[in-house]
PDB file of all heavy atoms in Angstrom:
ATOM      1  N   VAL A 534      -4.135 -22.551  -2.569  1.00  0.00           N
ATOM      2  CA  VAL A 534      -3.586 -21.833  -3.714  1.00  0.00           C
ATOM      3  C   VAL A 534      -2.114 -21.554  -3.424  1.00  0.00           C
ATOM      4  O   VAL A 534      -1.799 -20.815  -2.502  1.00  0.00           O
ATOM      5  CB  VAL A 534      -4.339 -20.516  -3.979  1.00  0.00           C
ATOM      6  CG1 VAL A 534      -3.690 -19.753  -5.126  1.00  0.00           C
ATOM      7  CG2 VAL A 534      -5.805 -20.795  -4.296  1.00  0.00           C
ATOM      8  N   PRO A 535      -1.208 -22.139  -4.184  1.00  0.00           N
ATOM      9  CA  PRO A 535       0.227 -21.999  -3.889  1.00  0.00           C
ATOM     10  C   PRO A 535       0.851 -20.788  -4.571  1.00  0.00           C
ATOM     11  O   PRO A 535       0.285 -20.211  -5.499  1.00  0.00           O
ATOM     12  CB  PRO A 535       0.807 -23.287  -4.475  1.00  0.00           C
ATOM     13  CG  PRO A 535      -0.058 -23.529  -5.690  1.00  0.00           C
ATOM     14  CD  PRO A 535      -1.449 -23.061  -5.301  1.00  0.00           C
ATOM     15  N   ASN A 536       2.037 -20.430  -4.083  1.00  0.00           N
ATOM     16  CA  ASN A 536       2.901 -19.464  -4.765  1.00  0.00           C
ATOM     17  C   ASN A 536       2.197 -18.149  -5.052  1.00  0.00           C
ATOM     18  O   ASN A 536       2.279 -17.600  -6.155  1.00  0.00           O
ATOM     19  CB  ASN A 536       3.438 -20.065  -6.067  1.00  0.00           C
ATOM     20  CG  ASN A 536       4.103 -21.419  -5.841  1.00  0.00           C
ATOM     21  OD1 ASN A 536       4.802 -21.618  -4.854  1.00  0.00           O
ATOM     22  ND2 ASN A 536       3.868 -22.360  -6.753  1.00  0.00           N
ATOM     23  N   THR A 537       1.503 -17.641  -4.038  1.00  0.00           N
ATOM     24  CA  THR A 537       0.745 -16.411  -4.222  1.00  0.00           C
ATOM     25  C   THR A 537       1.654 -15.190  -4.108  1.00  0.00           C
ATOM     26  O   THR A 537       2.689 -15.216  -3.448  1.00  0.00           O
ATOM     27  CB  THR A 537      -0.363 -16.307  -3.160  1.00  0.00           C
ATOM     28  OG1 THR A 537       0.235 -16.333  -1.852  1.00  0.00           O
ATOM     29  CG2 THR A 537      -1.334 -17.459  -3.289  1.00  0.00           C
ATOM     30  N   SER A 538       1.243 -14.116  -4.735  1.00  0.00           N
ATOM     31  CA  SER A 538       1.913 -12.834  -4.576  1.00  0.00           C
ATOM     32  C   SER A 538       1.334 -12.117  -3.362  1.00  0.00           C
ATOM     33  O   SER A 538       0.231 -12.429  -2.901  1.00  0.00           O
ATOM     34  CB  SER A 538       1.721 -11.974  -5.824  1.00  0.00           C
ATOM     35  OG  SER A 538       2.292 -12.597  -6.953  1.00  0.00           O
ATOM     36  N   ALA A 539       2.084 -11.149  -2.861  1.00  0.00           N
ATOM     37  CA  ALA A 539       1.573 -10.342  -1.760  1.00  0.00           C
ATOM     38  C   ALA A 539       0.325  -9.596  -2.207  1.00  0.00           C
ATOM     39  O   ALA A 539       0.185  -9.219  -3.371  1.00  0.00           O
ATOM     40  CB  ALA A 539       2.640  -9.354  -1.306  1.00  0.00           C
ATOM     41  N   THR A 540      -0.588  -9.390  -1.263  1.00  0.00           N
ATOM     42  CA  THR A 540      -1.712  -8.500  -1.530  1.00  0.00           C
ATOM     43  C   THR A 540      -1.186  -7.091  -1.312  1.00  0.00           C
ATOM     44  O   THR A 540      -1.133  -6.579  -0.200  1.00  0.00           O
ATOM     45  CB  THR A 540      -2.894  -8.806  -0.603  1.00  0.00           C
ATOM     46  OG1 THR A 540      -3.233 -10.188  -0.740  1.00  0.00           O
ATOM     47  CG2 THR A 540      -4.102  -7.957  -0.966  1.00  0.00           C
ATOM     48  N   ALA A 541      -0.755  -6.482  -2.384  1.00  0.00           N
ATOM     49  CA  ALA A 541      -0.055  -5.197  -2.339  1.00  0.00           C
ATOM     50  C   ALA A 541      -0.094  -4.594  -3.735  1.00  0.00           C
ATOM     51  O   ALA A 541      -0.663  -5.178  -4.660  1.00  0.00           O
ATOM     52  CB  ALA A 541       1.387  -5.394  -1.863  1.00  0.00           C
ATOM     53  N   ALA A 542       0.512  -3.417  -3.866  1.00  0.00           N
ATOM     54  CA  ALA A 542       0.603  -2.736  -5.164  1.00  0.00           C
ATOM     55  C   ALA A 542      -0.772  -2.476  -5.784  1.00  0.00           C
ATOM     56  O   ALA A 542      -0.897  -2.388  -7.013  1.00  0.00           O
ATOM     57  CB  ALA A 542       1.489  -3.521  -6.132  1.00  0.00           C
ATOM     58  N   SER A 543      -1.790  -2.388  -4.944  1.00  0.00           N
ATOM     59  CA  SER A 543      -3.165  -2.118  -5.398  1.00  0.00           C
ATOM     60  C   SER A 543      -3.688  -3.162  -6.371  1.00  0.00           C
ATOM     61  O   SER A 543      -4.644  -2.908  -7.101  1.00  0.00           O
ATOM     62  CB  SER A 543      -3.244  -0.730  -6.063  1.00  0.00           C
ATOM     63  OG  SER A 543      -2.750   0.268  -5.231  1.00  0.00           O
ATOM     64  N   SER A 544      -3.072  -4.342  -6.371  1.00  0.00           N
ATOM     65  CA  SER A 544      -3.361  -5.313  -7.435  1.00  0.00           C
ATOM     66  C   SER A 544      -4.290  -6.450  -7.003  1.00  0.00           C
ATOM     67  O   SER A 544      -4.534  -7.362  -7.779  1.00  0.00           O
ATOM     68  CB  SER A 544      -2.038  -5.927  -7.920  1.00  0.00           C
ATOM     69  OG  SER A 544      -1.410  -6.651  -6.876  1.00  0.00           O
ATOM     70  N   GLY A 545      -4.792  -6.402  -5.775  1.00  0.00           N
ATOM     71  CA  GLY A 545      -5.565  -7.531  -5.258  1.00  0.00           C
ATOM     72  C   GLY A 545      -6.753  -7.910  -6.106  1.00  0.00           C
ATOM     73  O   GLY A 545      -6.938  -9.076  -6.474  1.00  0.00           O
ATOM     74  N   SER A 546      -7.581  -6.923  -6.450  1.00  0.00           N
ATOM     75  CA  SER A 546      -8.770  -7.215  -7.261  1.00  0.00           C
ATOM     76  C   SER A 546      -8.393  -7.540  -8.695  1.00  0.00           C
ATOM     77  O   SER A 546      -8.964  -8.454  -9.307  1.00  0.00           O
ATOM     78  CB  SER A 546      -9.736  -6.026  -7.230  1.00  0.00           C
ATOM     79  OG  SER A 546     -10.201  -5.784  -5.921  1.00  0.00           O
ATOM     80  N   ASP A 547      -7.446  -6.798  -9.240  1.00  0.00           N
ATOM     81  CA  ASP A 547      -7.026  -7.035 -10.624  1.00  0.00           C
ATOM     82  C   ASP A 547      -6.572  -8.476 -10.824  1.00  0.00           C
ATOM     83  O   ASP A 547      -6.994  -9.161 -11.766  1.00  0.00           O
ATOM     84  CB  ASP A 547      -5.869  -6.101 -10.987  1.00  0.00           C
ATOM     85  CG  ASP A 547      -6.329  -4.685 -11.312  1.00  0.00           C
ATOM     86  OD1 ASP A 547      -7.513  -4.387 -11.113  1.00  0.00           O
ATOM     87  OD2 ASP A 547      -5.487  -3.888 -11.764  1.00  0.00           O
ATOM     88  N   LEU A 548      -5.693  -8.933  -9.948  1.00  0.00           N
ATOM     89  CA  LEU A 548      -5.099 -10.256 -10.126  1.00  0.00           C
ATOM     90  C   LEU A 548      -6.040 -11.367  -9.696  1.00  0.00           C
ATOM     91  O   LEU A 548      -6.323 -12.298 -10.462  1.00  0.00           O
ATOM     92  CB  LEU A 548      -3.794 -10.345  -9.331  1.00  0.00           C
ATOM     93  CG  LEU A 548      -2.651  -9.414  -9.759  1.00  0.00           C
ATOM     94  CD1 LEU A 548      -1.462  -9.584  -8.823  1.00  0.00           C
ATOM     95  CD2 LEU A 548      -2.234  -9.684 -11.191  1.00  0.00           C
ATOM     96  N   ASN A 549      -6.545 -11.289  -8.469  1.00  0.00           N
ATOM     97  CA  ASN A 549      -7.347 -12.390  -7.936  1.00  0.00           C
ATOM     98  C   ASN A 549      -8.740 -12.442  -8.535  1.00  0.00           C
ATOM     99  O   ASN A 549      -9.317 -13.523  -8.677  1.00  0.00           O
ATOM    100  CB  ASN A 549      -7.398 -12.285  -6.410  1.00  0.00           C
ATOM    101  CG  ASN A 549      -6.028 -12.466  -5.789  1.00  0.00           C
ATOM    102  OD1 ASN A 549      -5.490 -13.558  -5.736  1.00  0.00           O
ATOM    103  ND2 ASN A 549      -5.432 -11.371  -5.323  1.00  0.00           N
ATOM    104  N   GLY A 550      -9.278 -11.279  -8.902  1.00  0.00           N
ATOM    105  CA  GLY A 550     -10.565 -11.280  -9.589  1.00  0.00           C
ATOM    106  C   GLY A 550     -10.480 -11.989 -10.931  1.00  0.00           C
ATOM    107  O   GLY A 550     -11.365 -12.783 -11.289  1.00  0.00           O
ATOM    108  N   MET A 551      -9.417 -11.740 -11.670  1.00  0.00           N
ATOM    109  CA  MET A 551      -9.248 -12.397 -12.969  1.00  0.00           C
ATOM    110  C   MET A 551      -8.961 -13.886 -12.808  1.00  0.00           C
ATOM    111  O   MET A 551      -9.442 -14.711 -13.608  1.00  0.00           O
ATOM    112  CB  MET A 551      -8.119 -11.725 -13.752  1.00  0.00           C
ATOM    113  CG  MET A 551      -8.463 -10.336 -14.246  1.00  0.00           C
ATOM    114  SD  MET A 551      -9.759 -10.323 -15.509  1.00  0.00           S
ATOM    115  CE  MET A 551      -8.778 -10.440 -16.998  1.00  0.00           C
ATOM    116  N   ALA A 552      -8.184 -14.254 -11.791  1.00  0.00           N
ATOM    117  CA  ALA A 552      -7.910 -15.675 -11.565  1.00  0.00           C
ATOM    118  C   ALA A 552      -9.185 -16.422 -11.195  1.00  0.00           C
ATOM    119  O   ALA A 552      -9.438 -17.537 -11.682  1.00  0.00           O
ATOM    120  CB  ALA A 552      -6.857 -15.837 -10.470  1.00  0.00           C
ATOM    121  N   ALA A 553     -10.009 -15.814 -10.325  1.00  0.00           N
ATOM    122  CA  ALA A 553     -11.272 -16.446  -9.951  1.00  0.00           C
ATOM    123  C   ALA A 553     -12.204 -16.559 -11.143  1.00  0.00           C
ATOM    124  O   ALA A 553     -12.875 -17.587 -11.345  1.00  0.00           O
ATOM    125  CB  ALA A 553     -11.940 -15.656  -8.823  1.00  0.00           C
ATOM    126  N   LEU A 554     -12.256 -15.510 -11.967  1.00  0.00           N
ATOM    127  CA  LEU A 554     -13.104 -15.564 -13.163  1.00  0.00           C
ATOM    128  C   LEU A 554     -12.629 -16.654 -14.113  1.00  0.00           C
ATOM    129  O   LEU A 554     -13.448 -17.357 -14.732  1.00  0.00           O
ATOM    130  CB  LEU A 554     -13.094 -14.204 -13.862  1.00  0.00           C
ATOM    131  CG  LEU A 554     -13.976 -14.085 -15.101  1.00  0.00           C
ATOM    132  CD1 LEU A 554     -15.442 -14.353 -14.770  1.00  0.00           C
ATOM    133  CD2 LEU A 554     -13.811 -12.704 -15.741  1.00  0.00           C
ATOM    134  N   ASP A 555     -11.318 -16.821 -14.219  1.00  0.00           N
ATOM    135  CA  ASP A 555     -10.769 -17.876 -15.078  1.00  0.00           C
ATOM    136  C   ASP A 555     -11.242 -19.248 -14.617  1.00  0.00           C
ATOM    137  O   ASP A 555     -11.631 -20.101 -15.432  1.00  0.00           O
ATOM    138  CB  ASP A 555      -9.238 -17.803 -15.061  1.00  0.00           C
ATOM    139  CG  ASP A 555      -8.597 -18.843 -15.963  1.00  0.00           C
ATOM    140  OD1 ASP A 555      -8.971 -18.924 -17.144  1.00  0.00           O
ATOM    141  OD2 ASP A 555      -7.722 -19.586 -15.474  1.00  0.00           O
ATOM    142  N   ALA A 556     -11.244 -19.472 -13.294  1.00  0.00           N
ATOM    143  CA  ALA A 556     -11.740 -20.745 -12.770  1.00  0.00           C
ATOM    144  C   ALA A 556     -13.227 -20.920 -13.058  1.00  0.00           C
ATOM    145  O   ALA A 556     -13.683 -22.009 -13.455  1.00  0.00           O
ATOM    146  CB  ALA A 556     -11.481 -20.823 -11.265  1.00  0.00           C
TER     147      ALA A 556
END
Side-chain angles (χ1 to χ4, degrees):
V534 177
N536 307 320
T537 59
S538 298
T540 305
S543 306
S544 63
S546 298
D547 281 8
L548 296 177
N549 296 287
M551 289 293 269
L554 182 60
D555 182 52

